[in-house]
């Protein structure tokens, strides 16, 4: 129902239904994200640390909420949540048409990729390094992206060697290249 007032005039519409068209969906452990055909990202589910990217935290969302930042994304990926300090939550990442990566949510290990650790973000923040990505994938406490150059970069937790950089156990808050010098497609 839509209600409007202007001065002494007031009006209310008949009930109507709003439908959200989605072009792709990514499902994580405690949340999901999707893209509209116009590049708007929406997420829903667990949101204790801002993992939905909508500018809020502490309130889980049973319906899709618009990811903040006015970004037009070409891809979005919902990560698998982790349970750290009794707070079970995650986050997501997305790519813009100009190949910039943005991430939001938990940041215990630098999984936002913006050079910080321990400061969660309830809105998308740019991944550091100015790397042009063609694909991004979010894990439990880390993320990786395939660069247009063919290199793969990862950031966040490296607890079990997730970053693939031969630096086992050393986390990174910025993208680091996967070792081996290979080119991927």
């Amino acid at each position: 129902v839509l209600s409007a007032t202007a001065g002494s005039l007031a009006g209310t519409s008949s009930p109507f239904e709003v439908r959200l068209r989605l072009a792709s969906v990514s499902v994580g452990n405690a949340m999901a994200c999707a893209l509209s055909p116009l590049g708007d990202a929406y997420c829903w589910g667990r949101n204790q640390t801002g993992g939905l990217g909508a500018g809020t935290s502490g309130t889980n969302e049973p319906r899709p909420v618009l990811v903040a930042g006015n970004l037009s994304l070409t891809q979005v990926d919902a990560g698998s949540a982790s349970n750290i300090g009794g707070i079970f939550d995650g986050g997501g990442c997305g790519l813009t048409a100009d190949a910039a990566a943005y991430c939001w949510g938990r940041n215990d290990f630098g999984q936002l990729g913006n050079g910080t650790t321990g400061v969660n973000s309830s809105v998308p923040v740019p991944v550091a390094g100015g790397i042009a990505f063609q694909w991004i994938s979010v894990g439990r406490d880390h993320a990786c992206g395939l660069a247009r150059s063919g290199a793969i970069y990862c950031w966040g937790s490296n607890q079990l060697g997730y970053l693939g950089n031969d630096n086992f156990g050393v986390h990174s808050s910025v993208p680091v290249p996967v070792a081996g010098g290979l080119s991927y497609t």
Side-chain angles (χ1 to χ4, degrees):
V1 174
L2 180 63
S3 297
T5 57
S8 63
L9 299 175
T12 302
S13 73
S14 300
F16 60 94
E17 194 172 303
V18 176
R19 292 183 184 234
L20 179 61
R21 294 193 183 275
L22 300 175
S24 65
V25 177
S26 172
V27 179
N29 191 354
M31 62 179 275
C33 293
L35 277 182
S36 77
L38 298 176
D40 294 319
Y42 293 86
C43 295
W44 60 94
R46 187 102 172 137
N47 193 37
Q48 296 307 299
T49 59
L52 300 183
T56 63
S57 61
T59 304
N60 300 331
E61 295 291 342
R63 295 177 182 244
V65 292
L66 181 65
V67 171
N70 233 6
L71 297 169
S72 179
L73 300 176
T74 59
Q75 187 216 342
V76 67
D77 194 55
S80 298
S82 60
N83 186 0
I84 298 172
I87 299 174
F88 185 73
D89 208 4
C93 293
L95 294 180
T96 63
D98 63 353
Y102 286 80
C103 295
W104 56 88
R106 285 193 84 124
N107 198 32
D108 301 280
F109 304 101
Q111 57 265 47
L112 294 179
N114 68 341
T116 67
T117 301
V119 180
N120 302 329
S121 181
S122 64
V123 298
V125 295
V127 172
I131 301 163
F133 288 101
Q134 58 180 313
W135 196 258
I136 196 162
S137 182
V138 183
R140 182 174 172 179
D141 294 315
H142 69 292
C144 293
L146 173 60
R148 287 186 172 168
S149 67
I152 293 179
Y153 292 85
C154 298
W155 55 94
S157 174
N158 202 20
Q159 181 179 3
L160 299 174
Y162 304 137
L163 305 184
N165 66 345
D166 291 334
N167 221 352
F168 192 92
V170 179
H171 312 307
S172 180
S173 63
V174 296
V176 294
V178 169
L182 299 173
S183 182
Y184 298 88
T185 56

